[in-house]
Amino acid sequence: MRHHARGSDPVVDSVGTSVYRFPTDAPEGDGTLAWDSTTVVVAQVRSGGTTGLGYTYGAAATAQVVEEQLAGIVTGGCALDVPGANEAMSRAVRNAGRPGLVAGAISAVDIALWDLKARLLQVPLIGLLGASGAEVPVYGSGGFTTYDDLRQDRQLRIWVAEQGIPRVKIKIGESWGTAEQRDRRRIALARRSVGDHTELYVDANGAYTRKQAIRLGPHLDAHGVTWFEEPVSSDDRAGLAQVRAGVAAEVTAGEYGYTLPYFWHLLEAGAVDCLQADATRCGGLTGWLRTAALAEAAGLQISGHCAPHVHAHAAASVPNLRHLEWFHDHVRIENLLFSGALDPAGGTVRPGEDRSPGHGLTLRADRADPYRIA
């Protein structure tokens, strides 16, 4: 299935990729993984003299998927028909396997196509999608389990005291939940760092057992923690629902959703209080907006996971937005890699405020080239 251009419709002329790897500024880890670099796969979609830009965070092999599985599907199609291109890509990868790395590739191209469409129409992406609000709340996210007390404190104070962000998150569940006492101490230290009036969130990345997560509940309450992300594996929908029933903090998950049915199953199981979705994994902005509609139908809000500059315009267009994750790694990379980055001062960003077309990001080759690996 291909989506064909008609008459004078602008046509997608080419699809290209580039891959960049950025070392972290310190060793990083969460409850179930540690890393020392982050890889960004950039997709660029061209129509005439206009280029749309998209990207995903994942394995470098994602670029090969774009070039071998998707570029031929998108090239020659109508540059304005983004949902059609998304559906064509999704159908084309049936035998390659939709979730995981392939979904990241589809997401990067979809994001680039939305950016291209808005640029062809010479409007900000929020102008194309329509705004539900001008401001998008963000929360500072980092607080890695590999940080010592001083580094955690410094990061939290920068967000709260210097940037005025009134909500922050740290990682817990260290070493698959085997360092629970240190988790408890770090939660207490985080509350001390941010004061009484800042929202405090924690993310276990699926490290705990069900009962362990429930036992942690009173400690979270004692320190005013209101957001408990992935207390158990996000694949354990019954476990998420059990923890949700057993703690006062809101239970959240969804960042590893690659398809719309995945999110439906989370909602159907009563597994979350707020649904998370990542546009760089769930089929781009097309998939993210559909997921937001699912959440709204279930009476829940949606939160954008990581890659804040990808999500900002779409986030401003949905009425049930909770916030975006202002993730330390991705913010650092996106500020380096692109011009047009947003300012989170005061705890919100305002996508499209400068009236730049598309999502407003432009690849800075002079800065990016030293990190390019493909």
Side-chain angles (χ1 to χ4, degrees):
M1 174 186 174
R2 294 184 63 175
H3 58 303
H4 297 283
R6 295 177 298 274
S8 59
D9 288 345
V11 174
V12 175
D13 296 318
S14 66
V15 180
T17 62
S18 50
V19 184
Y20 307 89
R21 181 168 295 148
F22 296 87
T24 59
D25 57 2
E28 294 179 356
D30 55 36
T32 54
L33 188 68
W35 60 94
D36 59 13
S37 66
T38 300
T39 301
V40 187
V41 178
V42 174
Q44 291 184 299
V45 180
R46 297 177 178 85
S47 177
T50 305
T51 300
L53 182 149
Y55 57 96
T56 187
Y57 292 94
T62 306
Q64 185 178 348
V65 176
V66 173
E67 292 160 4
E68 296 183 2
Q69 302 282 333
L70 306 180
I73 301 298
V74 173
T75 302
C78 176
L80 303 180
D81 185 10
V82 184
N86 188 288
E87 181 66 14
M89 289 189 289
S90 295
R91 293 188 181 192
V93 300
R94 187 197 69 180
N95 290 350
R98 174 68 161 76
L101 188 149
V102 174
I106 292 173
S107 299
V109 175
D110 180 270
I111 293 160
L113 286 167
W114 278 110
D115 184 44
L116 175 64
K117 180 175 181 176
R119 290 176 189 266
L120 287 169
L121 298 174
Q122 298 183 341
V123 295
L125 185 51
I126 184 58
L128 176 63
L129 298 174
S132 284
E135 295 186 340
V136 174
V138 301
Y139 68 89
S141 174
F144 302 108
T145 58
T146 46
Y147 281 1
D148 61 21
D149 295 349
L150 182 61
R151 192 174 190 94
Q152 175 179 296
D153 177 76
R154 186 186 308 121
Q155 185 180 66
L156 292 172
R157 290 183 186 275
I158 287 172
W159 286 326
V160 176
E162 296 184 17
Q163 296 184 310
I165 299 176
R167 52 195 83 83
V168 297
K169 186 176 80 180
I170 68 168
K171 300 288 192 179
I172 60 171
E174 183 178 351
S175 301
W176 286 90
T178 61
E180 185 182 330
Q181 290 308 309
R182 183 167 187 260
D183 291 339
R184 289 172 177 262
R185 187 176 65 82
R186 290 179 56 245
I187 291 167
L189 290 174
R191 173 52 71 193
R192 193 179 309 165
S193 296
V194 302
D196 295 335
H197 303 296
T198 299
E199 294 180 44
L200 180 59
Y201 305 160
V202 297
D203 181 0
N205 286 98
Y208 293 137
T209 66
R210 298 178 183 185
K211 288 295 182 69
Q212 185 182 21
I214 291 170
R215 286 194 299 270
L216 190 65
H219 186 75
L220 300 181
D221 296 344
H223 296 285
V225 175
T226 55
W227 173 279
F228 196 179
E229 186 174 331
E230 288 190 324
V232 298
S233 169
S234 55
D235 292 325
D236 181 11
R237 296 190 294 271
L240 287 170
Q242 183 180 346
V243 176
R244 183 186 177 207
V247 301
E250 291 183 290
V251 169
T252 69
E255 66 187 72
Y256 297 113
Y258 298 107
T259 63
L260 208 58
Y262 176 95
F263 298 104
W264 165 247
H265 292 317
L266 275 180
L267 297 172
E268 187 179 37
V272 296
D273 293 289
C274 181
L275 187 63
Q276 292 177 283
D278 188 329
T280 73
R281 294 173 177 167
C282 72
L285 298 181
T286 301
W288 195 88
L289 290 167
R290 291 172 180 171
T291 303
L294 269 185
E296 185 180 10
L300 298 182
Q301 292 180 307
I302 189 167
S303 177
H305 172 264
C306 288
H309 291 90
V310 159
H311 291 95
H313 290 256
S317 75
V318 300
N320 58 321
L321 176 73
R322 175 73 65 89
H323 43 41
L324 296 185
E325 183 172 16
W326 200 252
F327 183 58
H328 171 71
D329 269 1
H330 294 179
V331 168
R332 187 174 63 89
I333 290 169
E334 289 165 15
N335 274 280
L336 176 65
L337 197 56
F338 308 118
S339 59
L342 300 168
D343 181 1
T348 64
V349 293
R350 300 176 66 89
E353 186 175 40
D354 65 359
R355 305 305 299 169
S356 295
H359 51 46
L361 299 179
T362 304
L363 184 65
R364 287 287 306 269
D366 57 327
R367 296 181 182 178
D369 282 351
Y371 302 95
R372 185 166 182 173
I373 61 171

